[in-house]
Amino acid sequence: MWQRVLALLILIAGLLMAVLGVVSDNDTNVRLSGAVLMLIGIIWLYKQPTLKSLNRTDKPTLKWYQSPILWIPIIAIILFIISLFM
């Protein structure tokens, strides 16, 4: 459980660095390092064991397209791309 929380924290920190990196003097470096942190968080979340592999089938599982773990990084990437053009 803690690994999933840490991966989400890394993802959020990367998102904040990528979006709010504009206010720094080295905005390109900060934004790129934020994008790298987001990518690390996404990969780490992807490699986490699923509920089926942990034998916790008492709750219905979500479809892949219903998962917030999928949509949060996609929204973060879209915001990052939009912020590049502003």
Side-chain angles (χ1 to χ4, degrees), residues 17-34:
M17 285 178 66
V19 174
L20 299 176
V22 182
V23 297
S24 121
D25 293 333
N26 299 327
D27 62 340
T28 304
N29 294 334
V30 173
R31 292 169 87 182
L32 287 177
S33 60

Side-chain angles (χ1 to χ4, degrees), residues 36-82:
V36 169
L37 272 178
M38 282 194 316
L39 184 63
I40 290 170
I42 290 168
I43 291 170
W44 194 6
L45 277 174
Y46 181 74
K47 291 187 176 188
Q48 295 293 321
T50 60
L51 291 177
K52 284 185 180 179
S53 66
L54 295 175
N55 293 329
R56 295 184 188 166
T57 57
D58 53 344
K59 294 183 180 178
T61 57
L62 297 174
K63 304 285 186 195
W64 67 270
Y65 52 84
Q66 295 173 323
S67 173
I69 293 177
L70 170 76
W71 289 106
I72 289 172
I74 290 175
I75 292 170
I77 291 169
I78 291 171
L79 287 174
F80 176 71
I81 292 171
I82 290 172

